[in-house]
Amino acid sequence: MSSDIALLVNPTAGKGRGARAAQPAASVLREAGWTVRSVVGEDAPDALRRARVAVAEGVAALVAVGGDGVVSLALRAVAGSDTPLGVVAVGTGNDIARSCGLPVRDPRAAAAAAAVALKEGDARAVDLGRVSLAEGEGPAWFGGVLASGFDSRVNDRGNRMRWPRGRFRYDVAMLAELASLRPIPFRLRLDDGPWQELPATLVAVGNGPDYGGGMRICAGARLDDGLFDVTVVGPCSRTELVRVFPRVYRGTHLTHPAVTVHRVARVELDAPDVTGYADGERLGPLPLAAECVPAAARVLAARLPEGGGA
């Protein structure tokens, strides 16, 4: 086995926490006997290319330092390979790390957990979602949730806004989208079943349970069962959506009469003027098809939490 570990670093994650976390994480890994080198791209495509080169060179592990964006890039780099992924989660959401039961915003503890897991061979196989993109782009992989509908429109609007900055921008975007809330005419195909036409507020495809910094939209989803949990939120009034929204953080919204959950290996989604986002990253407009690929990656974690994450 190689003694090299590649740190994939997003220096802007969490208002600079990514850059600040790289040094203590590297120190812990070096103290554990590993040779550490940093991988920093000029932009996301360049970072992905560099990460793939490191994986092809046979590093012992690729360790993502940052938030869910850099973890998503790292998952794309290690998908289908034998290279395990370590996660030093210091971003804003940290949903993937949380779903794996890993330390959050504690780079030394996260690096130590990765070092111990690597030494003891505790690389846990996890499923990934795979989405086919335009020709020439290759597939997109996601570890958490593919969002479409009201939530992805909030993302669209927030990404267009220049003020306010930070997470508050998305709170403002949510209020703006609430003002124009209407059911979206979705077309949905589950596994090899027939196409269904249904009005919905949103459809979330969960390989893992969380998105948006702890919102348990697909609360029962597990990372190692070979299936998606597809959460469909039917038509809701603005008042009802605001009233039920806090329950998403506990996962208790799943018992609401407007919510249905389907467990499937493949899903196809279509709706007008809706963009798909996976792990918070833009995929492109619907239609999109996603399939759950069992054991597509290995994560340096001593355990996977029961019930879809902590």
Side-chain angles (χ1 to χ4, degrees):
M1 176 190 291
S2 168
S3 62
D4 288 354
I5 290 178
L7 286 188
L8 179 61
V9 181
N10 179 1
T12 65
K15 298 181 180 179
R17 282 193 296 268
R20 294 192 296 273
Q23 182 175 355
S27 295
V28 168
L29 293 169
R30 289 189 179 107
E31 290 165 6
W34 301 97
T35 302
V36 180
R37 56 188 170 101
S38 294
V39 176
V40 182
E42 296 179 0
D43 51 25
D46 184 52
L48 177 58
R49 181 188 65 79
R50 292 171 185 260
R52 283 174 168 160
V53 168
V55 169
E57 290 174 347
V59 293
L62 180 67
V63 177
V65 183
D68 286 331
V70 73
V71 176
S72 181
L73 285 178
L75 285 172
R76 292 175 68 178
V78 302
S81 77
D82 292 328
T83 303
L85 173 67
V87 179
V88 176
V90 292
T92 303
N94 305 313
D95 291 304
I96 294 175
R98 189 179 295 107
S99 297
C100 291
L102 294 171
V104 170
R105 295 187 183 175
D106 188 339
R108 294 191 66 87
V116 169
L118 193 54
K119 179 180 179 181
E120 298 183 355
D122 281 330
R124 303 295 177 174
V126 297
D127 308 332
L128 296 179
R130 180 170 61 195
V131 181
S132 298
L133 299 179
E135 187 175 351
E137 292 187 38
W141 298 86
F142 66 96
V145 177
L146 190 163
S148 66
F150 174 77
D151 44 6
S152 65
R153 286 180 171 175
V154 170
N155 248 328
D156 278 339
R157 183 181 290 271
N159 290 341
R160 293 194 301 268
M161 295 168 61
R162 295 293 173 262
W163 184 91
R165 296 184 180 276
R167 289 184 63 85
F168 186 59
R169 175 173 56 186
Y170 293 93
D171 295 335
V172 174
M174 180 180 292
L175 292 174
E177 287 298 323
L178 276 172
S180 58
L181 181 67
R182 297 287 187 280
I184 298 169
F186 273 92
R187 296 180 69 240
L188 180 67
R189 190 181 187 201
L190 304 171
D191 286 333
D192 295 323
W195 280 97
Q196 305 173 45
E197 297 188 6
L198 69 165
T201 300
L202 64 86
V203 178
V205 180
N207 181 62
D210 300 347
Y211 69 178
M215 289 188 283
R216 300 178 59 76
I217 188 68
C218 300
R222 285 191 54 86
L223 294 171
D224 58 357
D225 63 357
L227 296 171
F228 291 135
D229 278 30
V230 180
T231 300
V232 179
V233 179
C236 287
S237 67
R238 286 186 286 273
T239 301
E240 186 68 2
L241 190 60
V242 170
R243 188 182 71 81
V244 174
F245 177 75
R247 294 172 55 180
V248 177
Y249 286 94
R250 302 186 301 275
T252 57
H253 65 291
L254 298 181
T255 61
H256 190 278
V259 178
T260 56
V261 178
H262 310 273
R263 306 192 75 238
V264 299
R266 189 174 190 277
V267 60
E268 296 176 69
L269 296 168
D270 194 9
D273 303 318
V274 173
T275 304
Y277 284 80
D279 293 341
E281 302 298 311
R282 187 182 189 277
L283 295 177
L286 272 54
L288 290 172
E291 61 179 316
C292 184
V293 181
R298 298 190 302 143
V299 175
L300 294 172
R303 64 181 178 87
L304 291 179
E306 293 294 329

